[in-house]
Amino acid sequence: MWIANNWTDYEVLDTSAGEKLERWGKYILVRPDPQVIWNTPHGHQLWKRKNGHYHRSARGGGEWEFFDLPDEWTVSYPLPCLQSGSGAATPEKNLTFRLKPFSFKHTGLFPEQAVNWDWFSQLIRDALRSDADRPIKVLNLFAYTGGATLAAAAAGARVTHVDASKGMVGWARENAVSSGLGDAPIRWLVDDCVKFVEREIRRGSHYDGIIMDPPSYGRGPKGEIWKIEESIWPFLQLTSQLLSENALFFLINSYTTGLQPAVLTYMARMALNTSFGGQVEADEIGLPVTGTGLVLPCGASCRWTGN
């Protein structure tokens, strides 16, 4: 399992009875988690000192209950120091994210994805060290509030950020400013990801790194329907046409039960290895749980790296 264990502003404190107890900066939240099927004692003292609690409804959805929680706050993530060619460490770059509780339990950030940010930011830095004049172009699809976009930009890539939600793209741009990346070479686009990829293919565009974090179900700006089980394979085949000749990586994330690491591996090998070679590996991603010393699984990721 790939574990996001470099956080200082975030941690899972405990889990029980379908919920996780989390620290986001100095605020404590309790949110539902479908992976938490065990019912263990609520021994951690902060279960009783929470700032916000999302209560799931038996009818679907749910609602927040707040206890002295601000409308908005921030947390930061330090990208690990990346070694220069001389062996000297470069300063840490902190990514800063705006958070706020909104519909269906979310806060605007998936902290488990930090383990992937570390992985591809290292690939980008290594490529730039070996060829400082080579521009590294990265495409982030279903890009949400921009965690992966900011990590790639901080590592030195030129990023194209695509999401169907105007609100999410605006939020990502604000995160860029908060992270000191307001002037970074990032192209912000509100668009249907499938239609954007089709246009990029017609334009002859190519990217050195591609990130996709597709939802299980969604709608584009004009009502386009996305169902991951029906759409992910043809979309992966389509998007692979945008990889450059010397591409660095392709990352696929999944929070859908049926798309386990072995399924992601099979698809990636069929869609990518047959045309580009390289290597594929996939695994669960997770977050350490402070109170137990165990790891909470949080979905799966598949990583392709070029030769």
Side-chain angles (χ1 to χ4, degrees):
M1 182 182 287
W2 295 321
I3 302 171
N5 55 9
N6 286 326
W7 281 98
T8 55
D9 272 4
Y10 173 85
E11 63 181 317
V12 180
L13 299 167
D14 198 7
T15 62
S16 180
E19 296 182 317
K20 55 189 174 185
L21 177 71
E22 305 167 289
R23 179 181 64 83
W24 296 82
K26 64 179 181 180
Y27 299 105
I28 306 301
L29 301 183
V30 176
R31 297 191 299 156
D33 192 307
Q35 300 283 359
V36 183
I37 61 175
W38 47 88
N39 191 349
T40 51
H42 286 60
H44 200 293
Q45 61 180 350
L46 292 179
W47 283 106
K48 297 180 180 179
R49 294 167 54 190
K50 53 188 176 286
N51 299 100
H53 190 169
Y54 186 89
H55 299 279
R56 177 161 285 169
S57 170
R59 300 185 299 274
E63 62 181 1
W64 282 97
E65 181 182 14
F66 299 123
F67 311 91
D68 193 26
L69 184 72
D71 293 335
E72 185 177 301
W73 71 104
T74 63
V75 297
S76 294
Y77 180 73
L79 282 178
C81 288
L82 304 178
Q83 299 298 309
S84 69
S86 63
T90 60
E92 287 186 339
K93 292 183 179 292
N94 287 337
L95 306 180
T96 300
F97 303 98
R98 295 171 52 247
L99 302 178
K100 60 181 178 181
F102 67 106
S103 61
F104 195 62
K105 77 180 181 180
H106 296 306
T107 63
L109 184 67
F110 290 90
E112 63 273 12
Q113 285 299 326
V115 70
N116 287 322
W117 306 341
D118 295 348
W119 168 70
F120 64 68
S121 64
Q122 183 72 61
L123 292 176
I124 293 167
R125 280 296 183 91
D126 288 347
L128 290 172
R129 277 202 298 267
S130 63
D131 184 358
D133 295 326
R134 175 191 177 185
I136 304 298
K137 295 175 60 181
V138 171
L139 173 62
N140 188 11
L141 299 166
F142 310 98
Y144 196 51
T145 58
T149 293
L150 302 188
R158 302 177 182 180
V159 187
T160 299
H161 174 111
V162 186
D163 196 278
S165 168
K166 183 178 180 180
M168 292 299 104
V169 174
W171 194 335
R173 297 187 72 161
E174 293 180 15
N175 283 337
V177 173
S178 298
S179 300
L181 295 167
D183 295 325
I186 303 172
R187 185 165 55 139
W188 306 98
L189 300 174
V190 179
D191 205 343
D192 175 77
C193 289
V194 176
K195 292 184 177 180
F196 173 78
V197 168
E198 290 171 341
R199 289 196 302 273
E200 286 290 87
I201 292 170
R202 292 195 295 269
R203 295 175 185 130
S205 299
H206 291 93
Y207 294 88
D208 304 295
I210 297 176
I211 303 160
M212 64 167 64
D213 199 347
S216 297
Y217 178 86
R219 289 184 179 272
K222 297 183 180 179
E224 302 91 343
I225 295 177
W226 168 277
K227 294 181 180 179
I228 195 168
E229 293 87 352
E230 300 173 3
S231 304
I232 186 63
W233 168 244
F235 187 57
L236 176 56
Q237 290 180 297
L238 185 72
T239 307
S240 69
Q241 298 177 52
L242 293 178
L243 284 174
S244 64
E245 183 178 353
N246 297 310
L248 297 177
F249 68 91
F250 198 122
L251 172 66
I252 310 167
N253 295 311
S254 170
Y255 292 91
T256 303
T257 303
L259 296 184
Q260 298 300 318
V263 176
L264 295 174
T265 298
Y266 198 104
M267 287 194 301
R269 285 182 175 170
M270 294 298 294
L272 302 174
N273 285 50
T274 53
S275 300
F276 300 96
Q279 298 179 340
V280 171
E281 56 180 346
D283 207 338
E284 291 182 283
I285 56 175
L287 290 162
V289 181
T290 305
T292 63
L294 301 174
V295 177
L296 178 67
C298 304
S301 293
C302 181
R303 301 169 174 176
W304 174 87
T305 51
N307 291 316

